[in-house]
Amino acid sequence: MAKLNLVLILAVLASGLALVHNAYESRRLFAERERTKAEGQRLAADAERLKAERHAQATNLRVEQVARERLGMRLISPAVVASGVAP
């Protein structure tokens, strides 16, 4: 009888330890999932912001401004086209 009681006590202790371990793993995985979800939302917001910036940079006025400032380009005139020589 004493051996049976010892085996049952060990089984209850092992079951309790397994339960505690499973509860800890469950909380850890839930916290990781929430962090990952928040990171995904942050990345989605960054992607939307970058799309808006790309769209703003690609407007005709912005392209023309960059062409004038950085590349030194200018609008052509009929005189330049007719003569082929820059004024």
Side-chain angles (χ1 to χ4, degrees):
M1 189 66 156
K3 287 184 180 182
L4 179 62
N5 285 340
L6 181 62
V7 169
L8 290 176
I9 288 173
L10 291 176
V12 168
L13 286 175
S15 173
L17 288 174
L19 180 66
V20 168
H21 176 71
N22 285 340
Y24 170 77
E25 272 302 301
S26 176
R27 284 191 301 270
R28 186 185 67 77
L29 290 173
F30 180 77
E32 184 178 338
R33 184 182 128 219
E34 291 300 314
R35 277 193 303 273
T36 304
K37 195 184 327 183
E39 179 73 9
Q41 290 172 346
R42 186 187 65 78
L43 289 173
D46 284 349
E48 289 298 320
R49 182 184 54 80
L50 289 173
K51 278 185 201 176
E53 284 182 19
R54 183 178 65 192
H55 185 273
Q57 294 290 325
T59 61
N60 290 337
L61 293 175
R62 176 72 180 147
V63 170
E64 186 176 332
Q65 177 187 13
V66 169
R68 284 184 183 164
E69 292 175 359
R70 293 186 189 166
L71 301 176
M73 298 175 90
R74 60 183 186 276
L75 292 174
I76 60 170
S77 67
V80 172
V81 174
S83 68
V85 179

